Amino acid sequence: MTAELKSSLATSVQTAAKQAGLVLVSSSEGSDFHGQPTAVFQFGLPPAGESKEEASGRTVKLELSEAFDFDKPDLLPAMTAHLAGEARRLRNPRPECYVTLAGLPIAFGQWQWPFHRSTSGADTYIVHGEMHLADGGTQNLHAKLAASVTLTFAEIVPAMEQPYAETFVYNAVRKTVDYGQLEFVKSGNRQPVPVTTRYYSRWQKKFLFTETNDAERLEYLLRKVYWLSGVLGESKPVWIADPRDAQYLNTTETDLLRMAGHEAGEGLMVLDGEFAAATPALLARAPEYQAALEAALNFTKPQFNESMRSGQANM
């Protein structure tokens, strides 16, 4: 790749970041799964609107194939939208943390973008990453992940690169946890996360993960604010109108804000624009949310059929 093309990629990415409200912290060369060069960018929040000390401690990583080119008209706007979401997430106390519908707080990390073709001969694209239990404790439970996308599914994606795939990959991981098909362990092999066309409606042209009603979305928001603001964030505000959550719950950012406003009126959170912080009343529900966490965690553990042990089951 020529220096001119490298400069073109960096310029395009920095332009998108500036429009999204981010500043470039550093850029470097990395390598993908097969050792091919990648372009790695670290972005942070500008000092305005937040103390320089706080802003400098939070960065977001963007890694692209070094040969990536914005050769389609929708690629750069989609990149800008991705970075705009990251800019708002960086205002969260723990930007890498999310919550599952069942109430498991998790942290994503160690993703090796972009996708690479499967080395086993299968017609799939693979991306590796990790998910950790983020309950503020010392259990150190995690899962190494291998998210796979079929060639048919890949046709839906504008590019097999981080900004165009990260949201649906994260939501596919959360959905797989909801199914009880990923186990949190202290050590272990990579666990598969199939990202299939069942998560995408060609008719509606959007991703669909979980059908939820108002009651379920309300409970989700409360669990999110409890864990990410109250437990992990010293009651600092977290972003409620996250399109990543809206996609996961099959709703809209506006709807999430509407429900958050209702709960703010009940005294369970303090709402400030699109952000909400936990109140003492919400933190008082700790036994309820800890019990939900334990139940959700237990659901992910393999269950042995005791009737087989005693020979009562038909084989």
Side-chain angles (χ1 to χ4, degrees):
M1 186 177 184
T2 66
E4 181 180 352
L5 287 177
K6 287 183 182 180
S7 176
S8 174
L9 175 62
T11 299
S12 296
V13 170
Q14 288 185 63
T15 298
K18 184 177 181 179
Q19 292 177 357
L22 293 170
V23 294
L24 180 66
V25 175
S26 67
S27 62
S28 60
E29 184 174 285
S31 60
D32 65 12
F33 181 82
H34 294 296
Q36 295 300 309
T38 60
V40 182
F41 304 91
Q42 292 281 352
F43 294 103
L45 295 170
E50 187 172 355
S51 73
K52 186 174 182 179
E53 291 73 17
E54 279 190 292
S56 63
R58 304 177 201 164
T59 62
V60 61
K61 177 182 175 183
L62 175 69
E63 186 166 13
L64 299 167
S65 301
E66 198 176 57
F68 179 71
D69 187 18
F70 295 98
D71 57 348
K72 298 177 183 177
D74 58 334
L75 290 180
L76 194 55
M79 168 79 74
T80 304
H82 168 78
L83 292 175
E86 295 291 74
R88 288 177 173 82
R89 252 174 241 116
L90 274 178
R91 291 175 58 187
N92 289 346
R94 293 283 300 275
E96 80 282 12
C97 290
Y98 297 82
V99 174
T100 70
L101 195 58
L104 277 177
I106 57 176
F108 287 121
Q110 304 300 314
W111 289 90
Q112 298 174 294
W113 298 100
F115 282 91
H116 62 271
R117 288 294 294 268
S118 171
T119 57
S120 65
D123 288 333
T124 55
Y125 290 96
I126 307 288
V127 64
H128 290 165
E130 292 184 8
M131 168 182 61
H132 290 254
L133 181 66
D135 63 344
T138 58
Q139 297 186 64
N140 196 31
L141 296 177
H142 69 284
K144 294 181 179 179
L145 308 169
S148 61
V149 172
T150 65
L151 297 185
T152 301
F153 190 95
E155 295 174 358
I156 300 167
V157 185
M160 299 304 290
E161 303 277 346
Q162 178 185 355
Y164 311 102
E166 188 175 76
T167 290
F168 72 72
V169 167
Y170 281 12
N171 284 338
V173 172
R174 286 199 276 185
K175 185 65 176 179
T176 307
V177 173
D178 292 337
Y179 284 139
Q181 295 174 352
L182 287 173
E183 184 182 8
F184 290 82
V185 294
K186 291 190 176 181
S187 64
N189 298 323
R190 291 198 182 275
Q191 301 177 54
V193 179
V195 186
T196 69
T197 51
R198 68 179 175 176
Y199 293 139
Y200 186 79
S201 170
R202 289 185 179 272
W203 176 63
Q204 299 181 63
K205 296 188 183 303
K206 70 174 186 177
F207 290 93
L208 301 171
F209 287 94
T210 305
E211 289 292 341
T212 55
N213 55 37
D214 270 7
E216 291 168 323
R217 293 166 189 164
L218 272 170
E219 188 56 44
Y220 173 86
L221 287 175
L222 289 172
R223 288 171 172 172
K224 173 176 179 173
V225 175
Y226 170 79
W227 285 110
L228 305 193
S229 170
V231 175
L232 300 177
E234 300 177 338
S235 293
K236 294 177 181 177
V238 296
W239 189 26
I240 290 298
D242 191 333
R244 198 161 281 180
D245 288 338
Q247 184 190 88
Y248 174 52
L249 301 172
N250 193 25
T251 187
T252 65
E253 298 96 297
T254 300
D255 206 34
L256 292 176
L257 276 174
R258 173 182 63 82
M259 288 181 285
H262 173 77
E263 293 308 301
E266 297 293 322
L268 294 174
M269 59 178 77
V270 177
L271 197 60
D272 181 12
E274 296 186 348
F275 290 77
T279 65
L282 183 61
L283 294 177
R285 295 188 177 187
E288 173 188 339
Y289 295 129
Q290 187 63 41
L293 179 147
E294 295 297 338
L297 197 59
N298 187 61
F299 183 63
T300 68
K301 297 177 182 178
Q303 303 296 316
F304 187 81
N305 188 339
E306 290 296 331
S307 62
M308 294 180 65
R309 187 193 301 273
S310 58
Q312 297 174 15
N314 293 326
M315 299 297 289

